[in-house]
Amino acid sequence: MAVYEFDPLTDSRWTRFLDQHHGATAFHSPGWLAAIQKTYGYEPIGFTTSGADLTNAMVFCRISSWMTGRRLVSLPFSDHCRPLAEGDDLAAILKYVSGKRQSRREKYVELRPLESDVEFGSDADFSMSETFHFHTIDLRPDLKSIYSRFHDSCIRRKIKRAEREKLVYESGRSKEMLEKFRHLLFLTRRRHKLPPQPAAWFENVIDSFGDAATIHLASKDSIPVASILTLAYKKSLVYKYGCSDGQYSNLGGTPLLFWKAIEQAKENGLELFDLGRSTSEDPGLIAFKDHLGADSTKLTYYRNPMPPSGKSSSSPFSFASAWGREALGRLPDPLLAGVGQLLYRHIG
């Protein structure tokens, strides 16, 4: 079976195909691919067995790094990216990209499907590399039903606390709101002893998604205390980033933001809130999503070939030792930002 390559950023068939495919998500979209390409220089590439009109496809990014090597990932910086192909078509595409990997001397091909039971075909030779917790909230019930699933003390009481504290909620994508979001993100990343993502990444995401990208912000007496960034695509809302000022964590800003985001999503007719992946090493985040009443499933990543034991993690900076993380946490702000600017280009 013949396999064809195409550029998902310039081929108009890609957008038409996504519009019609029930499995397409924000991470398949030209907006997401454009933000990745503009920020990190990765090359988006699509593969299909279709001729004229696309009836199946998979999308990847080619990463070429002097630090971490060459590889083909579907998709970097994305929680998931299901193959939009199945059966013989999927098997043919995976056989093709595996062969290309060898001829291009790439270290591996990585897949991040939503379904854990994907049939890759006997020739694909993909092995499980990582597993995560994946949470979603069904937005089709009425608001009262969704609210009733929130944990009483961990979510509902904190929303009421935020209201008593008269936290001010606003949403948008202005330059001023982005600066406030990035300030809180910097505080959060420093708290976790990790460098922040490059400023250009968030600028490019917002520019590429336009009105579909929203910054949600909670403030106390004009001081930003918590923020989240969401992306709307078709009938889904994706929570991608969250951050806060630890000094104000007791005010309930973050639960309030998720509730406000849900209210807006309902107003806009969205049906699913994708809360993204969580690692088993972050039980606090898993518990928070559970307390929102979210449904949890397993998210599995696959690689060909399987990397050496202990080196398969796709989590940014998972390679850093405890000593290295401590050193990162002590860097002055400009240096910490510079580390993020340098390293994120190599870890997608």
Side-chain angles (χ1 to χ4, degrees):
M1 186 180 295
V3 175
Y4 308 95
E5 300 182 12
F6 66 94
D7 184 345
L9 291 180
T10 61
D11 194 326
S12 60
R13 296 178 303 165
W14 180 240
T15 300
R16 294 198 301 270
F17 173 64
L18 295 182
D19 288 342
Q20 298 169 2
H21 200 291
H22 71 280
T25 71
F27 299 122
H28 294 94
S29 70
W32 185 254
L33 295 173
I36 291 174
Q37 194 273 336
K38 289 177 184 177
T39 309
Y40 303 109
Y42 301 163
E43 176 194 357
I45 183 169
F47 300 93
T48 181
T49 63
S50 308
D53 293 327
L54 292 181
T55 58
N56 63 77
M58 289 190 69
V59 65
F60 292 80
C61 279
R62 282 198 170 117
I63 302 171
S64 182
S65 164
W66 58 263
M67 183 183 295
T68 55
R70 296 159 59 89
R71 53 211 188 274
L72 195 63
V73 181
S74 180
L75 278 167
F77 302 112
S78 309
D79 293 343
H80 51 77
C81 185
R82 60 159 49 102
L84 302 182
E86 56 187 19
D88 292 341
D89 297 307
L90 175 59
I93 292 171
L94 293 180
K95 183 178 180 181
Y96 179 86
V97 298
S98 296
K100 281 287 185 178
R101 178 196 68 79
Q102 296 177 23
S103 65
R104 290 175 57 87
R105 297 183 179 178
E106 292 165 329
K107 291 171 63 177
Y108 59 79
V109 179
E110 180 169 286
L111 308 179
R112 302 180 177 183
L114 264 175
E115 297 80 5
S116 59
D117 58 348
V118 177
E119 294 291 337
F120 295 133
S122 57
D123 296 328
D125 196 24
F126 280 83
S127 300
M128 183 176 68
S129 58
E130 295 180 86
T131 60
F132 302 89
H133 297 262
F134 178 63
H135 287 82
T136 58
I137 297 176
D138 186 351
L139 298 178
R140 290 172 296 180
D142 58 43
L143 280 172
K144 183 178 180 181
S145 298
I146 294 173
Y147 189 82
S148 70
R149 295 190 63 182
F150 291 170
H151 192 281
D152 183 39
S153 60
C154 296
I155 303 296
R156 292 203 294 259
R157 289 184 186 177
K158 290 187 176 181
I159 293 174
K160 293 174 183 176
R161 170 71 184 275
E163 293 169 343
R164 288 198 306 273
E165 294 286 346
K166 298 183 179 178
L167 295 191
V168 175
Y169 168 78
E170 56 184 321
S171 63
R173 60 198 61 82
S174 68
K175 183 177 180 180
E176 180 183 7
M177 288 195 70
L178 179 57
E179 288 176 353
K180 292 177 179 178
F181 168 84
R182 289 193 56 244
H183 165 72
L184 292 170
L185 183 81
F186 201 98
L187 294 178
T188 301
R189 299 300 281 178
R190 178 172 286 288
R191 198 161 63 238
H192 295 161
K193 297 181 173 62
L194 294 170
Q197 294 89 343
W201 168 241
F202 298 104
E203 294 167 358
N204 288 329
V205 166
I206 290 174
D207 181 62
S208 296
F209 275 86
D211 292 346
T214 303
I215 297 170
H216 307 260
L217 182 71
S219 301
K220 172 69 173 177
D221 299 328
S222 299
I223 300 173
V225 300
S227 187
I228 64 174
L229 191 153
T230 62
L231 304 172
Y233 184 78
K234 299 176 83 169
K235 290 292 186 179
S236 296
L237 185 69
V238 178
Y239 159 68
K240 196 64 189 84
Y241 299 100
C243 45
S244 63
D245 187 332
Q247 298 181 76
Y248 301 95
S249 59
N250 63 327
L251 299 185
T254 298
L256 176 69
L257 292 177
F258 276 90
W259 176 233
K260 292 295 186 180
I262 288 171
E263 288 183 322
Q264 286 187 9
K266 288 288 292 181
E267 289 177 5
N268 293 326
L270 303 185
E271 298 179 353
L272 184 75
F273 197 175
D274 176 344
L275 300 182
R277 74 182 194 187
S278 309
T279 68
S280 296
E281 290 74 34
D282 196 349
L285 182 59
I286 294 171
F288 177 78
K289 293 176 181 180
D290 285 338
H291 292 155
L292 286 171
D295 297 314
S296 178
T297 56
K298 185 170 73 170
L299 185 64
T300 305
Y301 291 0
Y302 298 86
R303 285 191 185 179
N304 174 17
M306 184 66 183
S309 178
K311 297 183 179 180
S312 63
S313 178
S314 58
S315 301
F317 306 102
S318 58
F319 57 82
S321 64
W323 179 89
R325 293 278 290 272
E326 191 63 33
L328 283 173
R330 295 177 181 275
L331 288 178
D333 288 355
L335 284 180
L336 187 62
V339 170
Q341 184 74 31
L342 170 65
L343 290 185
Y344 270 96
R345 183 176 298 276
H346 302 280
I347 61 174

